[in-house]
Amino acid sequence: MTNQEILLVNRPVGLPNPDDFEIKECEVPTVDDGYILIRTVYLSVDPYMRGRMTEARSYVAPFEIGKPLNGGMVGQVVESRSPDFQAGDYVAGQWAWRRYNVVKADKRVSKLNPNLAPPSTALGILGMTGLTAYLGLTKIGNPQPGETVVVSGAAGAVGSVVGQIAKLLGCRVVGIAGTKEKLAYIKDELGFDEAIDYKDRENLHKNIRAACPNGVDVYFDNVGGSISEAVIYAMNDFARIPLCGQIAHYNDTKPAQISINVFHTFVTRRIRMQGFIVSDFVESFGEAHAALAKWYQAGKIRQKETIIEGFENTPEAFIGLFHGENIGKLLVRVPDEV
Ligand SMILES: NC(=O)c1ccc[n+]([C@@H]2O[C@H](COP(=O)([O-])OP(=O)(O)OC[C@H]3O[C@@H](n4cnc5c(N)ncnc54)[C@H](OP(=O)(O)O)[C@@H]3O)[C@@H](O)[C@H]2O)c1
């Protein structure tokens, strides 16, 4: 059995480059008592990983140079020396970017039931990004029936779930995304009320106002920058902003400019904005997962997956997030070839 791992070899400056990563052969460790050997089936690539590629202080430790990256993964157990797992079980967890990992069979390994949902959903709609959508929207956004919810990054892993949940809660939902195909996806397939192309910069303010005739009550922000500024000017008194991410700025090499008038709008409209990390709500993961799984099984929420084939293509897949190459959740699938 041959193993491979993907290392971070440079801290990227600006947009990451394939040369910032290196793929190399490595050992498959022996499987001791209490451990399992897992073959990687899906790797999740996520925008937050860009932050871990820098040395900046954050809520999670930076990736180390010369060491494998790690992230959310789904795998299949090849060999088990634990009574809790059997060969063939599908499992999810946070492991190194390797074709094979040997890990302790503890509560950090979740066993998946492929009869309830495809294993890949554990990295998207029923995994970390689904939880982020549910918890950020309900705990911070607190949307009420009849209110208007706007979400940026609307066709992506988090945004596409935010919009569908807001619809289920009785809101008017407006999504902002970057291609015609994405706008059609959120409106025609996911049932958003309106979809706005942020690349039509000239008409952005006008289009937001037209799509939100009663103003904006909740803005779920995945993106930041000039898109957020345009939404904020359309917000109502006592509106809420769950600040989930700022992907428009993750590759900035100098500080972004923001209009000081935005802060004045926060005062005059008494807008509340709160940044959050999904793990802040760990006590509510059970509640959130149960709600998402119920809606998913009833066919009330769904999500496309953009699947890149091949372990060796993981760095390019990750970089693709910043070019908007995905609709729904972006995953890498590793065929069983080694
Ligand atoms: N706080 C938390 O705990 C937490 C957890 C998960 C994710 N997040 C954040 O949530 C956001 C979405 O994450 P995700 O996993 O769902 O990713 P995603 O939306 O599936 O993928 C990223 C999308 O961002 C858009 N994008 C990229 N560069 C952009 C730019 N310069 N301006 C505007 N849009 C841009 C692209 O779509 P377009 O084609 O529409 O541009 C791209 O498809 C990210 O900011 C991420 O960091 C936060």
Side-chain angles (χ1 to χ4, degrees):
M1 187 184 289
T2 316
N3 202 5
Q4 284 183 317
E5 61 186 9
I6 298 173
L7 314 175
L8 182 71
V9 291
N10 297 310
R11 298 212 178 275
V13 178
L15 185 68
N17 183 300
D19 294 342
D20 296 327
F21 305 87
E22 185 182 305
I23 183 160
K24 86 172 216 301
E25 300 224 330
C26 61
E27 300 272 293
V28 180
T30 50
V31 188
D32 292 332
D33 273 350
Y35 284 74
I36 53 178
L37 169 64
I38 301 167
R39 179 181 76 78
T40 299
V41 180
Y42 292 102
L43 295 98
S44 176
V45 286
D46 293 274
Y48 80 89
M49 293 171 169
R50 178 65 184 86
R52 295 193 69 189
M53 291 173 192
T54 72
E55 280 177 313
R57 188 179 76 92
S58 189
Y59 60 94
V60 58
F63 292 124
E64 288 180 55
I65 295 294
K67 295 269 174 65
L69 297 100
N70 64 68
M73 287 156 74
V74 160
Q76 209 169 9
V77 176
V78 176
E79 183 185 340
S80 172
R81 297 198 58 189
S82 155
D84 300 328
F85 296 91
Q86 292 186 335
D89 283 348
Y90 279 98
V91 289
Q94 181 95 11
W95 303 307
W97 281 12
R98 293 195 184 103
R99 287 181 183 271
Y100 294 91
N101 278 290
V102 171
V103 305
K104 198 166 194 298
D106 60 18
K107 63 181 185 347
R108 288 169 297 179
V109 183
S110 311
K111 202 189 287 191
L112 305 175
N113 182 346
N115 297 320
L116 290 181
S120 59
T121 57
L123 299 174
I125 194 164
L126 301 181
M128 186 275 282
T129 51
L131 295 174
T132 302
Y134 179 94
L135 292 164
L137 181 66
T138 58
K139 305 286 183 198
I140 300 175
N142 191 24
Q144 301 300 309
E147 287 192 327
T148 298
V149 174
V150 174
V151 55
S152 55
V158 175
S160 63
V161 181
V162 167
Q164 293 179 81
I165 297 173
K167 279 306 294 177
L168 288 168
L169 298 177
C171 300
R172 175 178 178 78
V173 176
V174 176
I176 303 178
T179 67
K180 296 268 174 298
E181 192 188 359
K182 291 183 184 191
L183 300 180
Y185 169 60
I186 59 176
K187 212 171 155 190
D188 303 341
E189 291 188 44
L190 301 185
F192 286 37
D193 295 286
E194 291 296 340
I196 297 173
D197 177 2
Y198 72 82
K199 289 183 179 157
D200 180 7
R201 298 266 171 200
E202 211 177 299
N203 293 309
L204 188 57
H205 287 257
K206 191 181 85 188
N207 290 342
I208 291 170
R209 289 200 180 273
C212 308
N214 298 322
V216 179
D217 300 294
V218 178
Y219 170 46
F220 194 104
D221 185 11
N222 284 315
V223 164
S226 56
I227 298 172
S228 298
E229 201 173 329
V231 179
I232 288 164
Y233 288 130
M235 295 196 89
N236 291 327
D237 289 354
F238 302 105
R240 290 83 63 198
I241 306 177
L243 193 59
C244 178
Q246 299 280 283
I247 192 167
H249 295 294
Y250 292 173
N251 295 310
D252 283 358
T253 50
K254 51 181 192 229
Q257 301 292 318
I258 184 161
S259 161
I260 202 74
N261 293 335
V262 166
F263 296 111
H264 189 60
T265 306
F266 275 82
V267 179
T268 56
R269 311 226 183 122
R270 287 85 92 210
I271 297 167
R272 185 163 51 83
M273 174 161 76
Q274 185 183 333
F276 73 97
I277 302 299
V278 62
S279 53
D280 297 341
F281 298 110
V282 69
E283 288 83 17
S284 302
F285 278 8
E287 162 208 329
H289 189 271
L292 291 163
K294 197 167 142 214
W295 283 327
Y296 178 82
Q297 266 135 26
K300 293 184 173 169
I301 57 171
R302 67 187 102 137
Q303 183 163 69
K304 274 193 176 167
E305 293 172 337
T306 299
I307 307 226
I308 307 295
E309 293 287 334
F311 178 74
E312 64 285 1
N313 295 321
T314 307
E316 282 83 354
F318 169 72
I319 294 166
L321 287 167
F322 302 100
H323 297 300
E325 282 169 10
N326 60 306
I327 294 193
K329 178 69 191 128
L330 184 55
L331 297 170
V332 175
R333 197 175 79 87
V334 185
D336 189 4
E337 62 189 3
V338 181

